[in-house]
């Protein structure tokens, strides 16, 4: 994670923070990569563009990241921390007073995210679809998606729900589906998903 980054910062804000530490070339490269990869995906962004925008020498780039794939892996790890943990799970926990409320609050957080100008969808889904499940980057994305389900399952256990693994998989379908719908322009997707989420919770109470 970048030095000085705060929870919920936009990619542009993260890049500004990194620019305040010009000696930290690794953070600067990663900040640029975060912005570009989250907005445009992996294949569309080349190493030369990353080097130019980071303002580092090619040797410096490859000293920190021996390959583009290694940089994408670092990006995915940072995305997990900034997006999954800090922007989604932590904010949902703050918005609800019970585990059930916190589960439903995930879609309140999504609703705010979907109407932001910098809404960029889910990078884990994007990279998985770009690279395929057999590629190391696709597999890493699958692993991070599983971590999201783990957070949901933990809340389900706290809420006293039954069949929590099945619950987390069904819940994740609602999360991913609402993100795709929002990408299509449906800014009300989070509310629709939240309504279905309420039905799912009731289904798993017994």
């Amino acid at each position: 994670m970048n030095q000085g980054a705060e929870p919920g910062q936009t990619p542009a804000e993260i890049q500004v923070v990194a620019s305040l530490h010009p000696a930290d070339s690794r953070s600067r490269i990663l900040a640029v990569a975060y912005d570009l990869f989250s907005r445009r995906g992996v294949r569309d962004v080349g190493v030369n563009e990353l080097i130019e925008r980071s303002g580092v020498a090619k040797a410096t780039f490859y000293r920190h990241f021996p390959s583009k794939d290694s940089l994408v892996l670092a990006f995915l790890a940072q995305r997990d921390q900034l997006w999954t943990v800090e922007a989604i799970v932590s904010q949902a926990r703050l918005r609800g007073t019970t585990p059930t409320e916190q589960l439903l609050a995930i879609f309140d957080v999504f609703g705010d995210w979907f109407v932001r100008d910098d809404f960029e969808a889910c990078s884990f889904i994007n990279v998985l679809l770009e690279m395929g499940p057999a590629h190391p980057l696709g597999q890493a994305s699958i692993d991070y998606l599983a971590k999201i389900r783990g957070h949901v399952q933990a809340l389900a256990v706290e809420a006293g729900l039954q069949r929590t693994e099945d619950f987390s998989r069904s819940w994740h379908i609602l999360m991913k589906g609402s993100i795709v719908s929002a990408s299509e322009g449906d800014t009300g997707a989070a509310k629709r998903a939240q309504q279905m989420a309420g039905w799912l919770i009731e289904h798993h109470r017994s």
Side-chain angles (χ1 to χ4, degrees):
M1 182 176 174
N2 288 323
Q3 295 293 324
E6 297 294 335
Q9 282 184 310
T10 67
E13 289 168 339
I14 295 166
Q15 190 169 347
V16 168
V17 169
S19 70
L20 297 176
H21 303 274
D24 189 355
S25 54
R26 185 183 189 280
S27 291
R28 192 158 66 249
I29 294 166
L30 188 51
V32 169
Y34 191 103
D35 180 36
L36 295 178
F37 289 155
S38 61
R39 288 190 296 106
R40 289 166 41 191
V42 172
R43 291 189 184 279
D44 187 50
V45 180
V47 169
N48 288 339
E49 181 179 6
L50 289 162
I51 290 171
E52 180 180 353
R53 290 187 178 234
S54 301
V56 299
K58 183 174 290 189
T60 301
F61 179 93
Y62 283 111
R63 183 172 68 249
H64 293 299
F65 302 102
S67 66
K68 180 181 171 182
D69 282 3
S70 67
L71 177 56
V72 176
L73 289 172
F75 156 70
L76 292 173
Q78 187 181 48
R79 183 71 171 176
D80 178 60
Q81 180 62 36
L82 292 176
W83 185 79
T84 304
V85 176
E86 296 180 5
I88 307 300
V89 177
S90 296
Q91 288 301 309
R93 283 189 175 273
L94 288 173
R95 295 189 188 203
T97 57
T98 67
T100 298
E101 289 180 356
Q102 291 165 355
L103 279 166
L104 291 169
I106 289 172
F107 294 103
D108 291 327
V109 177
F110 271 22
D112 293 343
W113 178 42
F114 291 168
V115 297
R116 282 171 48 165
D117 290 339
D118 62 346
F119 169 64
E120 70 286 67
C122 175
S123 294
F124 306 128
I125 296 174
N126 294 344
V127 173
L128 173 59
L129 293 177
E130 272 192 289
M131 308 307 295
H135 192 281
L137 297 179
Q139 186 58 57
S141 298
I142 290 172
D143 292 342
Y144 283 116
L145 288 167
K147 288 181 68 174
I148 294 172
R149 287 197 303 276
H151 291 295
V152 170
Q153 186 172 3
L155 281 170
V157 170
E158 292 175 34
L161 301 183
Q162 305 298 313
R163 307 177 304 282
T164 56
E165 183 176 353
D166 287 344
F167 173 85
S168 67
R169 288 187 175 276
S170 297
W171 190 274
H172 204 195
I173 289 171
L174 294 177
M175 291 175 67
K176 290 181 285 191
S178 66
I179 291 170
V180 173
S181 293
S183 299
E184 296 172 2
D186 180 8
T187 55
K191 283 298 180 185
R192 274 182 272 281
Q194 189 178 58
Q195 182 180 39
M196 290 185 282
W199 301 336
L200 185 63
I201 288 172
E202 292 306 312
H203 179 66
H204 282 266
R205 287 201 186 279
S206 59

PDB file of all heavy atoms in Angstrom, residues 8 144 160 184:
ATOM      1  N   GLY A   8     -10.515   4.730   1.097  1.00  0.00           N
ATOM      2  CA  GLY A   8     -11.516   5.330   0.223  1.00  0.00           C
ATOM      3  C   GLY A   8     -10.974   6.325  -0.778  1.00  0.00           C
ATOM      4  O   GLY A   8     -11.736   6.975  -1.488  1.00  0.00           O
ATOM      5  N   TYR A 144      -8.394 -13.536  -5.182  1.00  0.00           N
ATOM      6  CA  TYR A 144      -8.880 -12.327  -4.513  1.00  0.00           C
ATOM      7  C   TYR A 144     -10.406 -12.297  -4.459  1.00  0.00           C
ATOM      8  O   TYR A 144     -10.987 -11.808  -3.483  1.00  0.00           O
ATOM      9  CB  TYR A 144      -8.333 -11.079  -5.205  1.00  0.00           C
ATOM     10  CG  TYR A 144      -6.893 -10.793  -4.855  1.00  0.00           C
ATOM     11  CD1 TYR A 144      -5.895 -10.826  -5.826  1.00  0.00           C
ATOM     12  CD2 TYR A 144      -6.522 -10.502  -3.545  1.00  0.00           C
ATOM     13  CE1 TYR A 144      -4.567 -10.582  -5.501  1.00  0.00           C
ATOM     14  CE2 TYR A 144      -5.198 -10.259  -3.212  1.00  0.00           C
ATOM     15  CZ  TYR A 144      -4.229 -10.297  -4.188  1.00  0.00           C
ATOM     16  OH  TYR A 144      -2.913 -10.063  -3.857  1.00  0.00           O
ATOM     17  N   GLY A 160     -25.266 -15.442  12.383  1.00  0.00           N
ATOM     18  CA  GLY A 160     -25.941 -16.674  12.767  1.00  0.00           C
ATOM     19  C   GLY A 160     -26.686 -17.349  11.629  1.00  0.00           C
ATOM     20  O   GLY A 160     -27.619 -18.126  11.868  1.00  0.00           O
ATOM     21  N   GLU A 184     -23.260  -1.087 -17.045  1.00  0.00           N
ATOM     22  CA  GLU A 184     -24.165  -0.861 -18.175  1.00  0.00           C
ATOM     23  C   GLU A 184     -24.897   0.474 -18.057  1.00  0.00           C
ATOM     24  O   GLU A 184     -25.561   0.898 -19.002  1.00  0.00           O
ATOM     25  CB  GLU A 184     -25.209  -1.974 -18.237  1.00  0.00           C
ATOM     26  CG  GLU A 184     -24.651  -3.362 -18.502  1.00  0.00           C
ATOM     27  CD  GLU A 184     -25.706  -4.446 -18.363  1.00  0.00           C
ATOM     28  OE1 GLU A 184     -26.885  -4.100 -18.104  1.00  0.00           O
ATOM     29  OE2 GLU A 184     -25.369  -5.635 -18.509  1.00  0.00           O
TER      30      GLU A 184
END
